[in-house]
Structures are given as structure tokens and as C-alpha cells.
């Protein structure tokens, strides 16, 4: 048995080495002059190119366990940033590494806790300086921010075109198209905030075997179970009926679900996958707020009957059959939001919305507005699965950046906004000293990738990474979303500050035989 504890400098060096390896791989992709990473995939053709920081960090596995822990900690910051704004993974990654490295240099002058507190103190300071650079954006001027995020003006123009049709409060989703060209469709749907999948293992899996951030279900049968799911076995009868009909995916909305039931549903997915068959059950936990309203709205939109022990239920689970299922055209399920669109029963839903409007009270009007959200589906085109996968990531980033920009405005892109913040920090405390250097790193990395020189000559000027020329970033349309950038800073500081305070690392017990005592079931 090897020692599983690593103390002091040895522990910190291992963690930093892991963070640095991820940041080096991700940093090389930044800017229009950045290079792609080629990631091995499970399915044919066995690889796919990407410059998406989240995908790269997820794909990397490091042999040294402490270094891999550093990678996982970096991934935690990236995941948080992605969850909050859906973009900014590369910026988060390189900032985490830069703040950590500059922070470690300050340990000679300050205690770890002094550095942590000082870094956290500067989060609102950075936000204040970024806010001063913000310019509002409308649906008529989204091309720049969407194009910058996608590194593709064609995608940026199409997203602006879509938002002009669905409005600022509209919702855009993507899916793989069936032609080489991008296209889109407009429909009506709604978002259920606070609802989410019961397990991330119910989400989509890409060609590289990586679990995605959401489950995207098309023309999916829907069951509305009002109650607490305590066992997956309760659903064997009705799910068996669905499977025998050739159904590959089912969504179950519920009030609550026990962990044991979640594990059983995930086990079902794995069991059929090993048999080369597909049957996925996505369990969706409903929010507590406006609970009765949501159940009624889902019942009307999907045509499903309420099932379960609840007084509003039409039938018990024991007596349920396929006629009690409803159907939804498109269902997108994330950790804390569910989007419903592609609704076939639009006439019935429109009548329901009209009745709510006729009531005239604030709650009914709010509910009617919520149910009448314009939605768009962006179909990502390409000549091969690899081309579609690559373009899809660009489209997803552009959609998220545009949505965040509409909500909180835009700032100079290309790392210039953070560079402006860095140049404004003049205090000599640890947080300012660290951030003054670290916040420059995204800008410097983009220059390095293009082998360009820094010839800026004003606050909003930067380097166009396509040409190396000095430009006004706003006029050149090289802009970033304020909230995406701020989320990257906030999460990078949070993770880096925590690592700086670490005095030792304790790993899970290791044995010379990796299938030994830790995994007794594997020996059978």
C-alpha cells in the first residue's frame, strides 16, 4: 500500500501542474488565430476537432492523481461558469491557472488566508470596473457579440436574425440539422425554471463519450406523475409497454424522486446500451413554486393525464397505460431549467392562454405571458458528423453569449476589458498584485496564438487577432458579453483562492492491484 497523503509544497506543486496542463491546452485555442485540439472519440471516425474549453478539459485525463485532481478542480470552475452563462470556459480556465500561479508567488509575503480574503474582496471591485465599460445591446445589434463568440460572422448574423423574430425574451435551442446548410424554425413554447433532470447521467452523450450538459428529447412521450418516486420498479409495467412499442426515450415529470430510484433508472439506460439497444428514461423533478400551475400547463400542452396518488390524478400508476402518456415535440432538460417547445396542441394551448388573459389578474397575466414565449430551433448544418459537432459548439456558445449580452450588455472583447481592469489596479495588497498580472493573461494569450505585438493606443483599443491590427474593439465588432466575462472571473478566483489555502492532499487509498480491496465486486 502506498502513502495516500501529500503535504505542503509537494501537494501544491502537483495541483498547479495539473491546472497548468489544462490551461496550456485550452489557451492555445483562444482567439481566431488559436488552434484546435483533436480529441479521440468512441464512435467513427474516432476523433473530432474542437476549440471549446469545456470539451477539452473534460477529455483530458492525467496519469498523476494529484495533477488530475488539479484538472478536476479547474473543471469545477469551468462547469460553474458554463452553468451560469453557457460560455467563457476558455477564459475561466486560463484565468484560474494565472491567478493560482501569481497567488503562489505571493505566499512568500502573505499567508494563504490573507491572499484568499484579498482575492475575494476584489471580485466586486473587478465587477465595478467591468460595469463601467458596458454598452447596452438590442436584438438589432447582436451580430458582433454572437460572431465573436462563434468566431463566425455567418452564425452571428443568423442569430441576430432569429432574435429579431422572437424578441429579447425569446429562447433559441440548437440541434443537428439534416442538410449541409444551417437553418431554423420558429414556434411557441415555455420554460419551467427550477425543474431539472434527476441525474446528469440521463443527459446526452457525444461521439467522444462525454456526458453533455442537457438532455435533448425530440417527439418524446411524456408521463406526468404527481407524487414521489420511491422505486423504479413501480414503473416497470408502463415502461415495458412503451419499450415494446419501440419507444427509445421517455420523460417522466415528478414532484420528488428517491436516490435509489434515480440509480435504477440510470442502470436501465446502461443495461440497454450494453445490449446495443436504446431506452432512456429522463426523470424530471418539478419546482415547488407555482407547482399546481405548472402541472396544469403541462397537462394541456402535452395531452398527458395526471398519474399517481395525488387527488388531481386521473389514474393510479398501477392502472396507467400508453393512453395516459402525452407527447412534446422538443424537450430540453438541464440541471435547473426545462424548455418545452414544438407543441402540437397549439390550438388548445392558445385557448388556455386566452382564458388566463380574460381573468385579468396579475398572476393569470404573468402565467399567460410565460406560456406564450417565442422559441426558435437552430438546425446546425455540415458535411460530416465532425463538421456538425464542431459547428454545433460554436452555435451553442454564440446563442449563450447573445442571450447574456441582451440581459447585461457588452464589453470590449479579445481580453481588452480585463486588461483595462488590470491597468486600473494600483493598490499594493495581495489581491491587487495577483489580479494586476493575472487579468492580462487572456489578452496576452490571444496575442501569443497569433504571434502579434501589443500596439494598443487607447482604452477600448485592442488587437484584431485575424489581422494583427490595432482597432477600436466596439467599432470592429469584437465584443464579449459582460456577464460571461464576469462569471469567468468570479469562478476562477473562487477555485484558485481555495487551492492556495490547501496544505495537504489526501487521495483515496491506492493498492498495487487496482482491482483489489477497493473494488471487491470486480473480482467476482
Amino acid at each position: 500500500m502506498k502513502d495516500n497523503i501529500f503535504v505542503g509544497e509537494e501537494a501544491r506543486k502537483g495541483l498547479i501542474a495539473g491546472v497548468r496542463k489544462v490551461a496550456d491546452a485550452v489557451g492555445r485555442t483562444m482567439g481566431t488565430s488559436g488552434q484546435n485540439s483533436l480529441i479521440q472519440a468512441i464512435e467513427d471516425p474516432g476523433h473530432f476537432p474542437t476549440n471549446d474549453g469545456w470539451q477539452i478539459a473534460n477529455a483530458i485525463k492525467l496519469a498523476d492523481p494529484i495533477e488530475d485532481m488539479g484538472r478536476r478542480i479547474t473543471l469545477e470552475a469551468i462547469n460553474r461558469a458554463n452553468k451560469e452563462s453557457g460560455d467563457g470556459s476558455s477564459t475561466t480556465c486560463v484565468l484560474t491557472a494565472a491567478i493560482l500561479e501569481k497567488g503562489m508567488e505571493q505566499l512568500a509575503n502573505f499567508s494563504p488566508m490573507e491572499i484568499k480574503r484579498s482575492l475575494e474582496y476584489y471580485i466586486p471591485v473587478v465587477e465595478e470596473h467591468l460595469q463601467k465599460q458596458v454598452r447596452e445591446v438590442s436584438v438589432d445589434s447582436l451580430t458582433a457579440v454572437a460572431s465573436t463568440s462563434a468566431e463566425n460572422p455567418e452564425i452571428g448574423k443568423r442569430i441576430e436574425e432569429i432574435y429579431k423574430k422572437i424578441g429579447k425574451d425569446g429562447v433559441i435551442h440548437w440541434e443537428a440539422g439534416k442538410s449541409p446548410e444551417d437553418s431554423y424554425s420558429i414556434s411557441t413554447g415555455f420554460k419551467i425554471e427550477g425543474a431539472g433532470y434527476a441525474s446528469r447521467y440521463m443527459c446526452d452523450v457525444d461521439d467522444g463519450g462525454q456526458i453533455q450538459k442537457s438532455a435533448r428529447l425530440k417527439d418524446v412521450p411524456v408521463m406526468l406523475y404527481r407524487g414521489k418516486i420511491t422505486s423504479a420498479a413501480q414503473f416497470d409495467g408502463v415502461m415495458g409497454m412503451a419499450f415494446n412499442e419501440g419507444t427509445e426515450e421517455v420523460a417522466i415529470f415528478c414532484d420528488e424522486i428517491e436516490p435509489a430510484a434515480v440509480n435504477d433508472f440510470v442502470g436501465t439506460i446502461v443495461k440497454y446500451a450494453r445490449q446495443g439497444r436504446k431506452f432512456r428514461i429522463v426523470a424530471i423533478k418539478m419546482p415547488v413554486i407555482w407547482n399546481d400551475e405548472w402541472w396544469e400547463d403541462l397537462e394541456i400542452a402535452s395531452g398527458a393525464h395526471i398519474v399517481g396518488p395525488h387527488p388531481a390524478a386521473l389514474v393510479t400508476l398501477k392502472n396507467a397505460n400508453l393512453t395516459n402518456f402525452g407527447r412534446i415535440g422538443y424537450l430540453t432538460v438541464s440541471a435547473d431549467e426545462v424548455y418545452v417547445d414544438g407543441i402540437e396542441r397549439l390550438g388548445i394551448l392558445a385557448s388556455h392562454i386566452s382564458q388566463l388573459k380574460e381573468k385579468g389578474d396579475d398572476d393569470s397575466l404573468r402565467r399567460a405571458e410565460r406560456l406564450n414565449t417565442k422559441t426558435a430551433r437552430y438546425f446546425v448544418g455540415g458535411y460530416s458528423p465532425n463538421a456538425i459537432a464542431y459547428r454545433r459548439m460554436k452555435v451553442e456558445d454564440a446563442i449563450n453569449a447573445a442571450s447574456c449580452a441582451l440581459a447585461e450588455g457588452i464589453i470590449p472583447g479579445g481580453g481588452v476589458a480585463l486588461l483595462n481592469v488590470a491597468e486600473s489596479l494600483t493598490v499594493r495588497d495581495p489581491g491587487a498584485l495577483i489580479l494586476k498580472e493575472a487579468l492580462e493573461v487572456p489578452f496576452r494569450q490571444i496575442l501569443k496564438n497569433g504571434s502579434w505585438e501589443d500596439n494598443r493606443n487607447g482604452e477600448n483599443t485592442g488587437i484584431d487577432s485575424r489581422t494583427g491590427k490595432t482597432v477600436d474593439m466596439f467599432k470592429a465588432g469584437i465584443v464579449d458579453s459582460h456577464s460571461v466575462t464576469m462569471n469567468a472571473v468570479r469562478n476562477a478566483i473562487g477555485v484558485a483562492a481555495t487551492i492556495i489555502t490547501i496544505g495537504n492532499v489526501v487521495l483515496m487509498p491506492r493498492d498495487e492491484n487496482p482491482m483489489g480491496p477497493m473494488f471487491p465486486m470486480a473480482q467476482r
Side-chain angles (χ1 to χ4, degrees):
M1 175 76 75
K2 294 181 179 180
D3 291 344
N4 70 331
I5 183 169
F6 300 83
V7 180
E9 193 72 10
E10 182 184 15
R12 285 193 291 269
K13 279 185 176 179
L15 292 172
I16 293 172
V19 173
R20 173 42 59 197
K21 286 181 179 180
V22 177
D24 284 344
V26 172
R28 293 173 187 271
T29 70
M30 293 181 72
T32 53
S33 297
Q35 299 174 318
N36 289 330
S37 288
L38 189 64
I39 297 178
Q40 186 178 20
I42 294 173
E43 298 183 7
D44 287 338
H47 61 270
F48 65 94
T50 180
N51 65 356
D52 181 81
W54 181 82
Q55 278 209 316
I56 296 168
N58 261 291
I60 293 172
K61 299 293 184 288
L62 301 176
D64 184 282
I66 302 181
E67 289 185 7
D68 197 57
M69 189 177 288
R71 176 196 69 86
R72 289 172 179 272
I73 292 170
T74 307
L75 189 58
E76 179 187 350
I78 294 173
N79 284 337
R80 287 178 184 174
N82 256 314
K83 181 178 180 181
E84 291 164 4
S85 53
D87 196 10
S89 54
S90 298
T91 302
T92 305
C93 185
V94 298
L95 276 178
T96 300
I99 294 169
L100 182 56
E101 288 176 342
K102 301 304 178 185
M104 298 302 286
E105 292 174 7
Q106 293 298 325
L107 283 175
N109 306 310
F110 303 95
S111 73
M113 291 310 298
E114 282 180 305
I115 293 173
K116 182 177 186 292
R117 284 193 293 267
S118 186
L119 282 170
E120 291 171 347
Y121 168 81
Y122 274 92
I123 292 176
V125 174
V126 172
E127 186 161 18
E128 181 183 346
H129 283 287
L130 283 178
Q131 190 63 47
K132 291 176 181 178
Q133 303 176 61
V134 169
R135 295 187 184 180
E136 291 187 2
V137 66
S138 69
V139 293
D140 297 317
S141 55
L142 281 175
T143 296
V145 66
S147 297
T148 299
S149 183
E151 298 174 352
N152 187 310
E154 177 192 333
I155 292 174
K157 289 176 183 177
R158 183 168 279 109
I159 287 174
E160 180 179 305
E161 181 182 320
I162 293 171
Y163 265 113
K164 285 179 178 178
K165 294 182 178 180
I166 65 176
K168 182 177 180 179
D169 297 322
V171 178
I172 306 176
H173 296 294
W174 60 265
E175 69 173 76
K178 296 181 179 179
S179 71
E181 304 299 326
D182 291 2
S183 60
Y184 65 88
S185 63
I186 306 293
S187 61
T188 299
F190 54 90
K191 176 175 69 173
I192 308 177
E193 293 183 352
Y197 53 69
S199 169
R200 65 185 295 265
Y201 294 104
M202 295 175 177
C203 292
D204 298 346
V205 178
D206 68 13
D207 292 342
Q210 293 186 25
I211 299 171
Q212 299 298 288
K213 292 172 280 187
S214 61
R216 299 171 184 274
L217 311 173
K218 185 176 181 180
D219 194 27
V220 60
V222 173
M223 170 174 274
L224 306 181
Y225 182 81
R226 289 211 66 174
K228 182 177 184 178
I229 299 177
T230 56
S231 168
Q234 298 172 265
F235 293 81
D236 283 352
V238 71
M239 290 298 118
M241 295 178 200
F243 181 77
N244 291 334
E245 288 287 315
T247 300
E248 293 188 342
E249 296 177 319
V250 175
I252 303 176
F253 288 84
C254 63
D255 282 317
E256 293 182 81
I257 181 168
E258 291 278 5
V262 174
N263 291 339
D264 288 343
F265 282 139
V266 171
T268 299
I269 297 171
V270 173
K271 179 182 75 173
Y272 283 108
R274 285 174 175 170
Q275 296 173 3
R277 306 162 78 184
K278 183 179 179 181
F279 188 63
R280 175 168 62 156
I281 299 170
V282 180
I284 303 165
K285 187 178 179 301
M286 291 288 279
V288 175
I289 188 170
W290 300 328
N291 188 268
D292 290 335
E293 295 179 5
W294 280 128
W295 283 109
E296 182 183 3
D297 296 339
L298 275 172
E299 189 176 13
I300 291 169
S302 68
H305 300 145
I306 299 290
V307 174
H310 194 274
L314 182 70
V315 63
T316 63
L317 182 59
K318 183 179 180 180
N319 296 320
N321 56 47
L322 297 182
T323 63
N324 302 120
F325 281 74
R327 191 168 292 273
I328 291 174
Y330 296 104
L331 193 63
T332 305
V333 186
S334 65
D336 50 17
E337 287 181 339
V338 173
Y339 291 92
V340 178
D341 62 86
I343 299 169
E344 296 178 359
R345 296 161 54 89
L346 283 176
I348 297 172
L349 183 62
S351 176
H352 175 53
I353 292 171
S354 295
Q355 291 173 11
L356 291 171
K357 289 180 178 178
E358 287 174 6
K359 288 183 179 180
D361 61 276
D362 290 344
D363 285 345
S364 295
L365 292 174
R366 168 190 49 76
R367 186 177 173 190
E369 182 179 1
R370 188 180 69 206
L371 291 173
N372 199 28
T373 302
K374 288 290 183 184
T375 62
R377 195 150 290 269
Y378 190 117
F379 299 101
V380 183
Y383 287 98
S384 68
N386 268 353
I388 292 174
Y390 181 80
R391 193 173 178 86
R392 184 265 298 170
M393 289 182 289
K394 296 299 183 186
V395 169
E396 184 177 16
D397 284 348
I399 290 170
N400 291 327
S403 175
C404 290
L406 283 171
E408 295 193 29
I410 56 175
I411 54 178
V416 171
L418 291 177
L419 187 63
N420 290 339
V421 176
E423 291 174 347
S424 69
L425 299 175
T426 57
V427 183
R428 301 290 296 175
D429 58 17
L433 292 169
I434 293 166
L435 293 176
K436 188 170 184 64
E437 294 186 74
L439 294 180
E440 292 186 357
V441 170
F443 174 79
R444 304 294 175 199
Q445 181 69 56
I446 291 171
L447 291 193
K448 180 181 177 182
N449 289 344
S451 299
W452 306 123
E453 293 184 3
D454 181 4
N455 297 314
R456 293 177 306 121
N457 54 20
E459 187 179 61
N460 291 326
T461 63
I463 307 302
D464 186 335
S465 62
R466 296 165 294 189
T467 64
K469 293 181 179 179
T470 301
V471 295
D472 181 297
M473 305 304 269
F474 283 118
K475 290 180 180 178
I478 304 172
V479 293
D480 288 329
S481 160
H482 165 263
S483 62
V484 169
T485 303
M486 190 58 224
N487 283 334
V489 173
R490 186 181 296 111
N491 287 293
I493 288 177
V495 168
T498 299
I499 294 179
I500 289 169
T501 65
I502 290 173
N504 60 73
V505 172
V506 180
L507 301 173
M508 293 178 66
R510 296 179 296 166
D511 194 86
E512 296 299 331
N513 174 14
M515 304 304 285
M518 280 186 64
F519 303 97
M521 295 297 292
Q523 296 177 321
R524 297 180 184 176

